[in-house]
């Protein structure tokens, strides 16, 4: 099954773990019913709000807002069709006028805050590598596997595996996600990886083990495949 056929459509995984409906019906739109991801765009970077782990909703998340980056100027839900091209200031659910802020201690190109929610970068046209998309050196607490049934954390990488994974992950070049879908690179067995930052914020990465590729367009190398397989073998013990 192909995933992420349109950038604005929510993933199958998010459907599994979300308790609320994200459907919008606009009769003037050619597709009628639109299913939105909770995203916003500022400074030419698109960010996504990730749902918390169902089993760990009470884990502390410590953020301190920094300077204002801008404000939401257009709410897409109830107003835009699915072919809408995002511009700076656009957000799917946030009200116009909502303040978008830096988070102290973290690059604004990685995470930002709006209301009391954290948004993580998922599209940055200037980024050529994973490390440029996710500038999180020394900011990662854990890498872990999530259940593909209910999103619960089921296994945390060892410290050495985490370090090996991140060093290799940062170096991966980013390809166009749609082109990988078109050639079938994002078909087959999916693994749900979680990245937990030092402040408690977590976000997810879909990984296709058959093709060694990630949802962000990164194509894995031998080190990535080896460390994931090693941790999977520990999970099965």
């Amino acid at each position: 099954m192909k995933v992420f056929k349109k950038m604005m459509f929510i993933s199958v995984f998010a459907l599994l773990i979300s308790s609320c409906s994200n459907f919008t019906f606009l009769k003037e739109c050619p597709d009628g019913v639109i299913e939105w991801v909770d995203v916003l765009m500022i400074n030419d970077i698109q960010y996504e709000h990730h749902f918390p782990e169902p089993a760990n909703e009470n884990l502390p998340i410590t953020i301190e807002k920094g300077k204002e980056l801008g404000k939401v100027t257009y709410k897409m839900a109830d107003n835009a069709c699915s072919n809408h091209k995002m511009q700076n200031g656009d957000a799917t659910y946030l009200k116009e006028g909502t303040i978008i802020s830096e988070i102290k201690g973290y690059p604004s190109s990685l995470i930002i805050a709006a209301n009391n929610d954290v948004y993580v970068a998922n599209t940055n046209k200037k980024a050529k590598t994973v490390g440029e998309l996710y500038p999180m050196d020394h900011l990662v607490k854990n890498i872990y596997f999530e259940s593909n049934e209910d999103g619960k954390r089921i296994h945390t990488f060892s410290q050495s595996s985490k370090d090996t994974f991140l060093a290799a992950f940062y170096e991966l070049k980013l390809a166009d996600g749609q082109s990988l879908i078109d050639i079938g690179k994002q078909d087959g067995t999916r693994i749900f990886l979680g990245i937990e930052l030092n402040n408690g914020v977590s976000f997810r990465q879909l990984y296709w083990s058959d093709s060694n590729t990630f949802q962000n367009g990164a194509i894995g190398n031998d080190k990535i495949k080896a460390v994931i397989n090693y941790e999977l073998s520990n999970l099965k013990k």
Side-chain angles (χ1 to χ4, degrees), residues 67-79:
K67 71 177 183 180
E68 181 179 321
L69 296 172
K71 295 181 180 180
V72 174
T73 56
Y74 180 68
K75 179 184 175 183
M76 294 187 295
D78 302 324
N79 294 299

Side-chain angles (χ1 to χ4, degrees), residues 40-177:
L40 65 82
M41 188 170 182
I42 193 77
N43 294 333
D44 299 323
I45 301 174
Q46 181 178 298
Y47 300 81
E48 181 177 351
H49 172 60
H50 292 254
F51 294 94
E53 298 174 53
N56 297 285
E57 292 181 357
N58 294 322
L59 287 177
I61 295 177
T62 305
I63 64 169
E64 183 180 358
K65 294 180 182 179
K67 71 177 183 180
E68 181 179 321
L69 296 172
K71 295 181 180 180
V72 174
T73 56
Y74 180 68
K75 179 184 175 183
M76 294 187 295
D78 302 324
N79 294 299
C81 297
S82 63
N83 60 358
H84 173 76
K85 293 184 179 179
M86 289 192 74
Q87 301 178 25
N88 289 325
D90 287 0
T92 45
Y93 296 115
L94 298 173
K95 295 179 180 179
E96 294 180 8
T98 299
I99 295 174
I100 303 167
S101 304
E102 287 184 339
I103 295 176
K104 290 185 178 180
Y106 292 80
S108 60
S109 57
L110 172 63
I111 56 174
I112 56 175
N115 286 338
N116 292 317
D117 291 326
V118 176
Y119 288 75
V120 182
N122 69 358
T123 304
N124 182 348
K125 292 183 178 180
K126 294 180 180 179
K128 303 301 180 184
T129 65
V130 171
E132 293 174 356
L133 178 61
Y134 303 133
M136 53 188 183
D137 194 25
H138 303 299
L139 297 175
V140 178
K141 182 178 180 180
N142 287 309
I143 305 291
Y144 55 91
F145 293 127
E146 292 181 338
S147 166
N148 58 7
E149 295 179 355
D150 57 16
K152 292 181 180 179
R153 187 183 307 207
I154 55 177
H155 177 75
T156 300
F157 285 26
S158 68
Q159 182 66 44
S160 61
S161 289
K162 183 193 84 170
D163 293 341
T164 300
F165 175 87
L166 289 174
F169 192 51
Y170 293 152
E171 295 178 356
L172 300 181
K173 294 183 178 180
L174 297 173
D176 176 66

Side-chain angles (χ1 to χ4, degrees), residues 8 21-29 31-37 74-82 84 91-96:
M8 299 307 301
S21 174
N22 291 320
F23 290 91
T24 299
F25 178 77
L26 292 176
K27 61 182 180 180
E28 65 270 21
C29 291
D31 33 20
V33 178
I34 304 170
E35 191 180 347
W36 295 107
V37 178
Y74 180 68
K75 179 184 175 183
M76 294 187 295
D78 302 324
N79 294 299
C81 297
S82 63
H84 173 76
T92 45
Y93 296 115
L94 298 173
K95 295 179 180 179
E96 294 180 8

